[in-house]
Amino acid sequence: MTASKKKDARLIARLSANDFKTKFAGSYLGIVWAFIQPVITILVYWFVFEKGFKPAAIHNAAGDQVPYVLWLIAGMVPWFFFSEALSGGTRALLDYSYLVKKVVFKIDILPVVKVVSAVYVHLFFLAFAVLLYTLYGYYPDLYMLQIFYYSFCLLILVTGITYLTSAVVVFFRDLNQVINIVLQVGVWVTPIMWDMDTMDINAVFKNLLKLNPLYYVVQGYRDALIGKTAFWERPGHLLYFWIFTVLCFGLGAYVFKKLRMHFADVL
């Protein structure tokens, strides 16, 4: 790693830690709020779906029934990270407009700062998920290590998307509201609260839903924590996800580079 890249890495680490802390500056509980809201959300969804709607029983590869809360949290943990990183990353240039206007500042690290800021809560919930699974008798093994691979997949995907959205939102502020609507719909379109395999839906529609790149990640978390399936055992999904992600990252980087010369003028 060159000296310049090391300097950028240190700057990203410092800015992301500061960004995480300042979100809750002035509140009595401080950063504790970053963990309280997702936990309450999980509890609400668990109560409504398991106790209210009583979903069909979910089984692992061995045919054993899986507690719904375990199946749910395997989908919620990556979703929380994605939604927080996308929302924050989209606003990166707006939130740091004073840095964008500095000629000498390397503004292409700002979307990354927001994404890394979301990683702190994500790491907490990964630990929380592993602890919960352990309490239910799903002890850590080599398959569980795959959650770090799928977290990396999610990190690259959302970084590429935020390069695109953070650049466009400077000129089209309504994109913030569009992103919020997309996230509201996305949490239901992605099979997080419901099991795609047990739903009575058209096969064509089911295949279309699987084109959602988050399906690969969410299914990967469940494979790692419940299904005990290695990521290379789904080569078709793996290939599709990385082709989509690389193209998305390339498009995001290209648009960001093309528009960056106009950011300071608009902001």
Side-chain angles (χ1 to χ4, degrees):
M1 183 181 291
T2 64
S4 176
K5 290 183 178 180
K6 288 181 179 179
K7 183 179 178 181
D8 289 345
R10 288 194 295 267
L11 182 58
I12 289 172
R14 186 167 67 251
L15 287 175
S16 61
N18 184 67
D19 182 85
F20 177 65
K21 294 175 184 177
T22 54
K23 289 177 184 176
F24 310 97
S27 61
Y28 287 109
L29 296 181
I31 64 173
V32 175
W33 286 113
F35 311 107
I36 291 177
Q37 183 179 355
V39 168
I40 291 177
T41 302
I42 289 173
L43 290 175
V44 169
Y45 282 142
W46 166 76
F47 179 79
V48 169
F49 282 90
E50 181 166 316
K51 303 303 181 181
F53 292 126
K54 298 184 182 301
I58 298 168
H59 299 84
N60 60 17
D64 301 321
Q65 187 168 341
V66 178
Y68 181 75
V69 67
L70 298 185
W71 188 86
L72 174 66
I73 200 171
M76 293 301 295
V77 169
W79 178 260
F80 281 143
F81 174 50
F82 177 79
S83 59
E84 177 66 21
L86 179 58
S87 297
T90 299
R91 299 190 308 269
L93 300 181
L94 303 179
D95 291 350
Y96 289 102
S97 59
Y98 61 95
L99 293 177
V100 175
K101 295 175 183 178
K102 288 187 176 182
V103 179
V104 296
F105 190 81
K106 196 172 182 180
I107 62 174
D108 55 351
I109 70 170
L110 293 178
V112 180
V113 167
K114 288 290 189 176
V115 172
V116 174
S117 176
V119 169
Y120 297 113
V121 177
H122 183 61
L123 291 176
F124 166 81
F125 276 101
L126 284 180
F128 176 75
V130 171
L131 175 61
L132 187 62
Y133 272 78
T134 301
L135 293 175
Y136 272 88
Y138 289 77
Y139 300 105
D141 55 17
L142 291 177
Y143 286 106
M144 276 196 181
L145 292 177
Q146 292 182 122
I147 59 178
F148 295 105
Y149 160 72
Y150 288 109
S151 293
F152 175 75
C153 291
L154 198 52
L155 179 71
I156 300 301
L157 173 65
V158 75
T159 301
I161 295 174
T162 54
Y163 266 120
L164 175 63
T165 58
S166 63
V168 173
V169 78
V170 173
F171 306 93
F172 180 61
R173 302 298 175 93
D174 289 355
L175 183 60
N176 269 320
Q177 306 308 319
V178 174
I179 293 295
N180 290 334
I181 294 174
V182 169
L183 291 176
Q184 288 177 6
V185 175
V187 72
W188 298 104
V189 174
T190 305
I192 294 174
M193 271 76 75
W194 53 281
D195 186 1
M196 188 180 294
D197 294 328
T198 61
M199 293 292 287
D200 184 18
I201 56 178
N202 184 275
V204 175
F205 184 58
K206 183 182 293 188
N207 290 329
L208 287 175
L209 290 176
K210 289 182 178 181
L211 293 178
N212 177 359
L214 288 179
Y215 169 80
Y216 173 74
V217 176
V218 169
Q219 185 61 44
Y221 270 71
R222 288 174 177 150
D223 284 343
L225 295 167
I226 299 171
K228 305 305 178 184
T229 303
F231 68 90
W232 57 81
E233 294 182 48
R234 299 182 186 275
H237 290 154
L238 183 151
L239 183 62
Y240 168 76
F241 174 84
W242 281 111
I243 290 175
F244 181 93
T245 299
V246 169
L247 291 175
C248 185
F249 200 100
L251 175 63
Y254 174 79
V255 172
F256 192 95
K257 183 179 179 181
K258 284 294 184 181
L259 298 179
R260 64 181 298 171
M261 66 181 69
H262 305 292
F263 292 156
D265 296 332
V266 177
L267 294 171

